[in-house]
Amino acid sequence: MQINVYGTAIEAAYAAADLIAERLYISPNIVLGLATGGTMESLYHHLVERHRRTGLSFRFATTFNLDEYIGLAPAHPASYRATMQRLLFDHTDIDPQRTHLPDGMSMNPDQEAVQYEAKIAEAGGIDLQLLGIGRNGHIAFNEPGTSFSSQTHVVTLDRSTQAANARFFLEGEAVPERAITMGISPILASREILLVVTGAEKRTAFSEAFLGQVNPQCPASVLQLHPNVMIYADRAAAIDVTSLNMASPNVGFDKICSRIGADNV
Ligand code: F6R
């Protein structure tokens, strides 16, 4: 596991975007697992910029998003489909046919979850999975307590997750209670995982995930078991990990790279 710590959230997100761009240059037909949420906004902004400035092409890439709310039509501005269109898909040369999200309007969400996972398998699995982390340690919408062997499934969102995501909805508008999410098992099956963690409000989740034991109460802790995880964090989120590393440099991570100078960590 490699942890890259940056001074600001934007720097961390831009560096993570650069890594995605690099993978795209090397493997134009890459299968990308994508995430939504506030953390990803500047990352997608940077990818769009690179597409405009340098011609970075998404034409042959295939994408699968982690999750979608149940009951939100794709046109609803807070749906993850609309979010991805607005932040990334509409501004690049990606082939719309190769962009996938679970269908939150399916009459049979359980069946949709199974079919979604089958589509990922048909595409050959995920090469690079982008992840954020919830304040409660969730990855995708796998809330605390989710089994590590979970497949793609229907989930009831924690109240805290609904509250955290209310900012993406109009004032007074209800945040959906349910979603379809990739399970922990298919996430772990990704060949590489790129986790972006920024902001002081993620400090506790980040520390629990990577300084504590692997524990289903903190779903992100399962990433300790994956052989190929890269973390891009800002100082505010990573402060406990970086201070521990300075106090005892051999804490079990392959590498902690500070991009902000050791004096500032
Ligand atoms: C979204 C997703 C979630 C978010 C997490 C962090 O597709 O899978 O796990 O990554 O809730 O969200 P933000 O970045 O808004 O704090």
Side-chain angles (χ1 to χ4, degrees), residues 224-246:
Q224 293 183 38
L225 304 178
H226 192 282
N228 213 350
V229 176
M230 292 153 296
I231 302 177
Y232 284 71
D234 68 354
R235 182 173 43 191
I239 190 94
D240 298 327
V241 176
T242 48
S243 0
L244 178 70
N245 184 56
M246 282 175 77

Side-chain angles (χ1 to χ4, degrees), residues 35-39 66-67 80 132-134 138-141 167-168 202:
T36 50
T39 314
L66 287 167
D67 36 25
Y80 286 162
I133 184 173
H138 71 218
I139 47 173
F141 274 144
R167 68 192 197 282
F168 298 112
K202 300 291 174 64

Side-chain angles (χ1 to χ4, degrees), residues 13-229:
Y14 278 19
D18 285 340
L19 185 121
I20 296 176
E22 199 183 295
R23 295 292 190 275
L24 259 168
Y25 279 125
I26 296 169
S27 315
N29 60 351
I30 193 168
V31 179
L32 287 173
L34 297 179
T36 50
T39 314
M40 303 301 155
E41 289 181 8
S42 42
L43 186 154
Y44 292 141
H45 174 77
H46 192 55
L47 281 177
V48 169
E49 276 299 296
R50 288 205 52 162
H51 168 69
R52 287 189 180 138
R53 261 191 309 111
T54 70
L56 173 71
S57 177
F58 293 77
R59 185 140 34 118
F60 301 112
T62 299
T63 66
F64 288 93
N65 266 75
L66 287 167
D67 36 25
E68 180 59 285
Y69 292 112
I70 291 180
L72 284 196
H76 189 291
S79 74
Y80 286 162
R81 166 54 79 178
T83 303
M84 290 308 302
Q85 294 295 143
R86 190 169 61 243
L87 295 178
L88 184 70
F89 300 156
D90 286 348
H91 312 289
T92 66
D93 59 349
I94 200 158
D95 175 354
Q97 300 299 322
R98 294 186 196 233
T99 66
H100 303 91
L101 286 95
D103 177 5
M105 297 302 283
S106 166
M107 299 297 280
N108 188 338
D110 292 307
Q111 192 181 49
E112 168 62 15
V114 172
Q115 286 170 350
Y116 191 68
E117 195 165 314
K119 261 190 242 166
I120 296 174
E122 260 168 52
I126 307 273
D127 291 313
L128 176 64
Q129 176 66 57
L130 178 60
L131 290 180
I133 184 173
R135 291 172 208 194
N136 63 2
H138 71 218
I139 47 173
F141 274 144
N142 294 290
E143 301 286 23
T146 306
S147 159
F148 288 161
S149 57
S150 55
Q151 305 299 317
T152 299
H153 62 288
V154 172
V155 67
T156 301
L157 299 178
D158 269 13
R159 285 269 163 86
S160 64
T161 301
Q162 282 185 287
N165 288 0
R167 68 192 197 282
F168 298 112
F169 290 78
L170 294 175
E171 209 179 321
E173 193 181 10
V175 179
E177 286 173 8
R178 296 192 310 150
I180 297 174
T181 183
M182 256 167 84
I184 292 181
S185 180
I187 290 173
L188 285 184
S190 312
R191 287 178 269 280
E192 275 190 303
I193 291 182
L194 170 56
L195 175 70
V196 188
V197 194
T198 58
E201 70 280 8
K202 300 291 174 64
R203 175 179 172 177
T204 307
F206 190 36
S207 306
E208 277 177 22
F210 299 105
L211 298 179
Q213 300 290 319
V214 176
N215 164 20
Q217 286 313 316
C218 180
S221 67
V222 76
L223 300 177
Q224 293 183 38
L225 304 178
H226 192 282
N228 213 350
V229 176

